[in-house]
Short mmCIF file of all heavy atoms in Angstrom, two decimals:
data_model
loop_
_atom_site.label_atom_id
_atom_site.label_comp_id
_atom_site.label_asym_id
_atom_site.label_seq_id
_atom_site.Cartn_x
_atom_site.Cartn_y
_atom_site.Cartn_z
N PHE A 56 10.73 -16.73 4.45
CA PHE A 56 9.76 -17.45 5.27
C PHE A 56 8.89 -18.33 4.38
O PHE A 56 8.32 -17.86 3.38
CB PHE A 56 8.85 -16.48 6.04
CG PHE A 56 9.59 -15.60 7.01
CD1 PHE A 56 9.07 -14.38 7.38
CD2 PHE A 56 10.78 -16.01 7.58
CE1 PHE A 56 9.72 -13.56 8.29
CE2 PHE A 56 11.46 -15.21 8.49
CZ PHE A 56 10.93 -13.98 8.85
N THR A 57 8.76 -19.60 4.74
CA THR A 57 7.92 -20.54 4.02
C THR A 57 6.83 -21.06 4.94
O THR A 57 7.02 -21.13 6.16
CB THR A 57 8.74 -21.72 3.47
OG1 THR A 57 9.37 -22.40 4.58
CG2 THR A 57 9.80 -21.25 2.49
N GLY A 58 5.70 -21.42 4.38
CA GLY A 58 4.57 -21.91 5.16
C GLY A 58 3.29 -21.87 4.36
O GLY A 58 2.47 -22.79 4.44
N HIS A 59 3.11 -20.81 3.57
CA HIS A 59 1.94 -20.76 2.69
C HIS A 59 2.06 -21.82 1.60
O HIS A 59 3.17 -22.13 1.13
CB HIS A 59 1.80 -19.37 2.05
CG HIS A 59 1.24 -18.33 2.98
ND1 HIS A 59 -0.03 -18.41 3.50
CD2 HIS A 59 1.79 -17.20 3.49
CE1 HIS A 59 -0.25 -17.37 4.29
NE2 HIS A 59 0.84 -16.63 4.30
N LYS A 60 0.92 -22.35 1.17
CA LYS A 60 0.89 -23.41 0.18
C LYS A 60 0.60 -22.90 -1.23
O LYS A 60 0.54 -23.67 -2.19
CB LYS A 60 -0.18 -24.46 0.55
CG LYS A 60 -0.01 -25.03 1.95
CD LYS A 60 1.35 -25.69 2.15
CE LYS A 60 1.47 -26.29 3.54
NZ LYS A 60 2.82 -26.84 3.81
N ASP A 61 0.41 -21.60 -1.36
CA ASP A 61 0.15 -20.99 -2.67
C ASP A 61 0.67 -19.55 -2.62
O ASP A 61 1.24 -19.12 -1.62
CB ASP A 61 -1.35 -21.05 -2.99
CG ASP A 61 -1.64 -21.06 -4.49
OD1 ASP A 61 -0.81 -20.54 -5.26
OD2 ASP A 61 -2.70 -21.59 -4.88
N ALA A 62 0.45 -18.81 -3.69
CA ALA A 62 0.99 -17.46 -3.81
C ALA A 62 0.63 -16.58 -2.62
O ALA A 62 -0.50 -16.63 -2.11
CB ALA A 62 0.46 -16.82 -5.09
N VAL A 63 1.59 -15.78 -2.18
CA VAL A 63 1.36 -14.77 -1.15
C VAL A 63 0.86 -13.51 -1.84
O VAL A 63 1.51 -12.98 -2.74
CB VAL A 63 2.64 -14.47 -0.35
CG1 VAL A 63 2.39 -13.38 0.70
CG2 VAL A 63 3.15 -15.74 0.32
N THR A 64 -0.31 -13.03 -1.44
CA THR A 64 -0.96 -11.92 -2.14
C THR A 64 -0.86 -10.59 -1.41
O THR A 64 -1.07 -9.54 -2.01
CB THR A 64 -2.44 -12.24 -2.36
OG1 THR A 64 -3.03 -12.57 -1.08
CG2 THR A 64 -2.61 -13.43 -3.30
N CYS A 65 -0.56 -10.61 -0.08
CA CYS A 65 -0.55 -9.37 0.68
C CYS A 65 0.31 -9.52 1.94
O CYS A 65 0.38 -10.62 2.52
CB CYS A 65 -1.97 -8.95 1.07
SG CYS A 65 -2.97 -10.30 1.76
N VAL A 66 0.97 -8.44 2.35
CA VAL A 66 1.78 -8.42 3.57
C VAL A 66 1.58 -7.09 4.28
O VAL A 66 1.32 -6.07 3.64
CB VAL A 66 3.29 -8.62 3.28
CG1 VAL A 66 3.56 -10.03 2.80
CG2 VAL A 66 3.80 -7.60 2.28
N ASN A 67 1.69 -7.11 5.62
CA ASN A 67 1.58 -5.87 6.39
C ASN A 67 2.28 -6.02 7.73
O ASN A 67 2.02 -6.98 8.46
CB ASN A 67 0.11 -5.50 6.60
CG ASN A 67 -0.08 -4.17 7.31
OD1 ASN A 67 -0.72 -4.10 8.35
ND2 ASN A 67 0.47 -3.09 6.76
N PHE A 68 3.20 -5.08 8.05
CA PHE A 68 3.83 -5.03 9.35
C PHE A 68 2.86 -4.43 10.37
O PHE A 68 2.10 -3.51 10.06
CB PHE A 68 5.08 -4.16 9.32
CG PHE A 68 6.33 -4.86 8.86
CD1 PHE A 68 6.81 -4.67 7.57
CD2 PHE A 68 7.03 -5.70 9.70
CE1 PHE A 68 7.96 -5.30 7.13
CE2 PHE A 68 8.19 -6.34 9.28
CZ PHE A 68 8.65 -6.15 7.99
N SER A 69 2.93 -4.93 11.61
CA SER A 69 2.22 -4.27 12.70
C SER A 69 2.91 -2.94 13.00
O SER A 69 4.07 -2.73 12.64
CB SER A 69 2.23 -5.16 13.95
OG SER A 69 3.56 -5.29 14.44
#
Side-chain angles (χ1 to χ4, degrees):
F56 298 154
T57 59
H59 283 296
K60 305 302 182 185
D61 207 333
V63 178
T64 54
C65 47
V66 291
N67 184 237
F68 276 102
S69 66

